[in-house]
Amino acid sequence: MLKIGITGGIGSGKSIVCKILESMNYPVLYSDREAKIIIEENLDVRSEIIRLFGNDIYHGDQLNSKLLAQIIFNDADALNQVNAIIHPKVRNSFTDYADQQDSQYVFNEAAILIESGGYKQMDTLVLISAPLELRISRVMLRDACTEDEVTERISKQWADNQKRKYCDFEIVNANNLALLGQVESLIEGLKK
């Protein structure tokens, strides 16, 4: 089994590429979703997050994700502390997930797969890229936020040219390029 990381900046279209892979019957673990489950359901993680940010960071069992985002996107130390708590658990989740699959390929979608060190457990990496203006407009529409908020988030992630050095494949998710053909080419490339 090959473990394949799917990475790219916010708004690049990682999720749509992964939906195509799922429609082709390949298993995909979405790291952001897994992190949300961990941060809400893992009692040790919950305790650590409360210790760092106080009781207001949760409303009952629900994480106050808006408050957490405000904190970590404006404080690099806070972001690093949260990442140090969550990323090892997400990596363990992927290992467990992969062990349960009987597919030739198993995919892990994660925006900061390289930055977090998670790429080290992958056999190969795929970068999903898109023009910056398109990424900004996608995120503004998806998250109902301002251009400044999106560009601030983007500034916290590595640029495509930094990620490209680690990646074996690239899929360009611009509006005028067919994704299905690129995903099929990726699968063919993995077979070689």
Side-chain angles (χ1 to χ4, degrees):
M1 167 190 304
L2 278 180
K3 295 176 182 175
I4 302 141
I6 302 286
T7 194
I10 188 170
S12 61
K14 297 177 299 299
S15 294
I16 191 70
V17 169
C18 288
K19 293 294 182 200
I20 293 169
L21 290 165
E22 286 180 310
S23 76
M24 298 168 82
N25 294 317
Y26 293 110
V28 178
L29 179 96
Y30 294 84
S31 290
D32 280 352
R33 275 191 221 153
E34 191 64 25
K36 287 176 184 167
I37 292 168
I38 289 167
I39 206 165
E40 290 190 353
E41 296 180 5
N42 184 302
L43 297 180
D44 293 332
V45 169
R46 177 188 294 265
S47 295
E48 284 294 306
I49 299 297
I50 289 170
R51 183 186 61 76
L52 287 172
F53 306 114
N55 289 323
D56 289 343
I57 205 71
Y58 284 91
H59 295 300
D61 289 339
Q62 296 292 319
L63 175 72
N64 184 341
S65 54
K66 199 166 201 153
L67 176 60
L68 182 62
Q70 287 173 343
I71 294 168
I72 64 176
F73 286 120
N74 292 304
D75 182 343
D77 287 337
L79 176 61
N80 290 334
Q81 289 174 315
V82 170
N83 286 343
I85 294 166
I86 305 248
H87 288 303
K89 299 212 178 318
V90 173
R91 284 196 289 274
N92 290 342
S93 292
F94 177 71
T95 299
D96 294 344
Y97 179 79
D99 288 346
Q100 296 169 18
Q101 306 306 315
D102 61 0
S103 176
Q104 186 176 6
Y105 310 117
V106 62
F107 295 86
N108 182 197
E109 182 267 353
I112 59 171
L113 189 63
I114 298 167
E115 300 93 309
S116 71
Y119 75 97
K120 294 175 185 172
Q121 77 181 116
M122 300 298 146
D123 297 306
T124 193
L125 295 176
V126 181
L127 174 65
I128 311 302
S129 64
L132 182 60
E133 305 77 32
L134 183 56
R135 291 173 54 200
I136 291 169
S137 66
R138 284 175 179 162
V139 176
M140 287 173 61
L141 186 62
R142 181 190 74 197
D143 295 350
C145 55
T146 68
E147 183 174 346
D148 287 343
E149 290 170 324
V150 178
T151 54
E152 179 64 21
R153 287 189 214 168
I154 288 172
S155 74
K156 305 286 189 213
Q157 296 180 345
W158 282 15
D160 287 347
N161 61 351
Q162 290 174 284
K163 292 182 182 203
R164 203 169 272 124
K165 298 172 192 172
Y166 292 82
C167 294
D168 306 294
F169 299 93
E170 182 171 358
I171 292 175
V172 179
N173 186 9
N175 285 338
N176 59 348
L177 296 173
L179 275 181
L180 181 57
Q182 292 183 76
V183 173
E184 288 171 340
S185 294
L186 166 65
I187 298 300
E188 285 304 310
L190 292 171
K191 291 178 182 176
K192 294 179 182 175

